[in-house]
Amino acid sequence: MSLIFASIVGFASGILASMGFGGGFILVVYFAIFTDFVQKGAQGINLLFFIPITIVAVILHIKNKMIDVKTALICSLYGLPAVVIGFYIAQNMDNSLLRKAFAIFIILSGLKDLFSKSQSKN
């Protein structure tokens, strides 16, 4: 694929991710389908790609008082061991199994979003 197309995908996934629309899905699908990356590599690059985006989004959300810092720290404290365990499991999984698990996760997430009722807070 061309550098222009890759740049557009990266830019679009960054914008969507910073707005909470699942830009990571776009990036992983792009890497898995349009490049020679294996699933593990695609997911790893995706995670690295979103570190700076996450930092900027968290700073802006804290500034706008949209994040309870205490709750975020507690979630981070429990999330870090989960990331390490997930990384270990993913490293030891067969690539085709990881690819299928990712596809099932995306399908289930989409179905949940499709069939769950929206809760609006006015």
Side-chain angles (χ1 to χ4, degrees), residues 31-65:
F31 278 127
I33 294 174
F34 296 108
T35 68
D36 294 333
F37 281 99
V38 295
Q39 187 72 24
K40 290 177 189 177
Q43 288 182 215
I45 288 174
N46 179 54
L47 293 174
L48 288 174
F49 180 81
F50 286 101
I51 290 172
I53 293 168
T54 303
I55 291 169
V56 171
V58 167
I59 290 169
L60 291 174
H61 285 6
I62 288 173
K63 180 181 172 188
N64 293 324
K65 300 183 185 335

Side-chain angles (χ1 to χ4, degrees), residues 33-112:
I33 294 174
F34 296 108
T35 68
D36 294 333
F37 281 99
V38 295
Q39 187 72 24
K40 290 177 189 177
Q43 288 182 215
I45 288 174
N46 179 54
L47 293 174
L48 288 174
F49 180 81
F50 286 101
I51 290 172
I53 293 168
T54 303
I55 291 169
V56 171
V58 167
I59 290 169
L60 291 174
H61 285 6
I62 288 173
K63 180 181 172 188
N64 293 324
K65 300 183 185 335
M66 297 174 72
I67 291 180
D68 178 14
V69 176
K70 182 180 175 185
T71 303
L73 289 174
I74 291 170
C75 290
S76 298
L77 182 67
Y78 287 102
L80 186 60
V83 168
V84 172
I85 292 167
F87 174 79
Y88 179 76
I89 292 170
Q91 284 299 104
N92 293 304
M93 283 179 77
D94 180 52
N95 192 55
S96 65
L97 180 62
L98 186 61
R99 193 175 198 140
K100 290 173 187 171
F102 179 74
I104 290 169
F105 173 76
I106 292 299
I107 290 168
L108 291 176
S109 295
L111 289 172
K112 178 192 161 285

